[in-house]
């Protein structure tokens, strides 16, 4: 079909943390946006009264509900840490190759640690 | 500031910024870019506050949650958090749609649908907060 030369396609590139983080920032941003509808459901349930609210709580604390909430909380922590890195880099900082790698791994580790800390706090409270 | 005035046939004697403003396919890209970052910076403390509060909220029944949300600062911060999140989300989703949808008619349709849906959900959230709190 295509006679002209094409640039190498996605699967030919070696995976690197830079592209993984870039994609994850977008993916978590979109996931968080969809999660805003769960937030709407939660607040509307509170506005509708005790029964609706208890119904929401039951669903939220079911296994599936907890998986969704755990995913959303990880997305939020990752996107927030990654967002801080975005803003720092917008200011022209952290642009050497070692800093880019260090910053990238820091974002991932911080997101995992914050997610664990959050759920430990929730369970312990 | 210190930018030199450029004299050219096409633009005459104009400040370089004045020549650059309004160009680009969106005509408003810089404003969007800045808004995305301003909302992100606002969201930073608000997200910390929300996660902090969520640790307690997770265990509250309806009556306790209503009492919590009725505290003036909690009402105010909740409205602010929700409003900023929705605004930031709409700005972000706009970029995603612009990147992946290339047919102009379809893009405008998706953009309007996305904004409409988030507007409704955002208003529902703020309505719900105020109804519970006031
Ligand atoms: C519920 C909360 C949030 C939602 C729904 C959300 C959603 C999004 C979406 C959809 C994008 C567009 C992604 C893209 O263009 O690839 C985005 C971008 C961005 N977000 Fe968020 N976000 C949230 C919270 C935050 C927080 C707390 C920060 C704090 C630093 C943040 C920082 C950023 C930044 C800096 C960008 C721009 C990235 C770029 O231009 O590539 N976001 N967000």
């Amino acid at each position: 079909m295509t006679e002209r030369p094409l640039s190498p396609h996605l699967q030919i590139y070696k995976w690197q943390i830079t592209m993984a983080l870039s994609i994850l920032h977008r993916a978590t941003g979109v996931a968080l946006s969809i999660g805003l509808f769960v937030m709407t459901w939660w607040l509307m349930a509170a506005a509708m009264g005790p029964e609706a609210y208890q119904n929401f709580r039951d669903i939220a604390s079911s296994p599936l509900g907890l998986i969704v909430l755990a995913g959303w909380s990880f997305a939020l922590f990752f996107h927030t840490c990654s967002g801080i890195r975005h803003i720092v880099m917008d200011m022209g900082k952290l642009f050497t190759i070692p800093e880019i790698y260090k910053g990238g791994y820091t974002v991932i580790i911080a997101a995992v640690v914050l997610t664990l800390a959050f759920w430990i706090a929730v369970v312990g409270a | 500031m210190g930018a030199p005035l450029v004299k050219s046939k096409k633009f005459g004697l104009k400040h370089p910024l004045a020549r650059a403003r309004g160009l680009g396919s969106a005509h408003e890209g810089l404003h969007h870019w800045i808004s995305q970052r301003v909302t992100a910076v606002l969201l930073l403390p608000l997200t910390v506050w929300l996660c902090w509060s969520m640790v307690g909220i997770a265990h509250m029944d309806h009556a306790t949650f209503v009492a919590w949300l009725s505290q003036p600062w909690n009402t105010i911060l909740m409205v602010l958090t929700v409003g900023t999140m929705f605004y930031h989300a709409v700005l972000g989703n706009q970029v995603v749609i612009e990147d992946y949808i290339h047919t102009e008619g379809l893009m405008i349709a998706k953009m309007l649908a996305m904004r409409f849906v988030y507007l409704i959900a955002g208003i529902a959230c703020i309505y719900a907060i105020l109804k519970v709190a006031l």
Side-chain angles (χ1 to χ4, degrees), chain A residues 25-26 29 32-33 79-80 86, chain B residues 36-37 40 43 47 85 88 92:
Chain A
H25 188 78
R26 171 158 289 193
L32 288 173
S33 307
H79 186 92
T80 304
H86 257 280
Chain B
Q36 183 95 58
R37 271 133 194 94
L43 275 177
T47 301
M85 277 185 172
H88 178 91

Side-chain angles (χ1 to χ4, degrees), chain B residues 10-81:
Chain B
K10 194 162 176 202
F11 296 105
L13 202 60
K14 258 189 169 180
H15 194 277
L17 184 60
R19 289 195 286 124
R21 266 198 186 122
L23 297 180
S25 55
H27 306 293
E28 48 158 21
L30 183 62
H31 177 254
H32 179 282
W33 191 90
I34 290 173
S35 305
Q36 183 95 58
R37 271 133 194 94
V38 169
T39 50
V41 170
L42 263 175
L43 275 177
L44 207 55
L46 293 173
T47 301
V48 173
W49 171 78
L50 184 66
C51 293
W52 188 263
S53 309
M54 271 298 168
V55 171
I57 291 171
H59 300 282
M60 290 180 190
D61 63 9
H62 186 258
T64 322
F65 179 59
V66 167
W68 180 86
L69 195 54
S70 307
Q71 307 260 315
W73 279 113
N74 291 341
T75 313
I76 291 165
L77 285 175
M78 202 63 182
V79 169
L80 196 59
T81 306

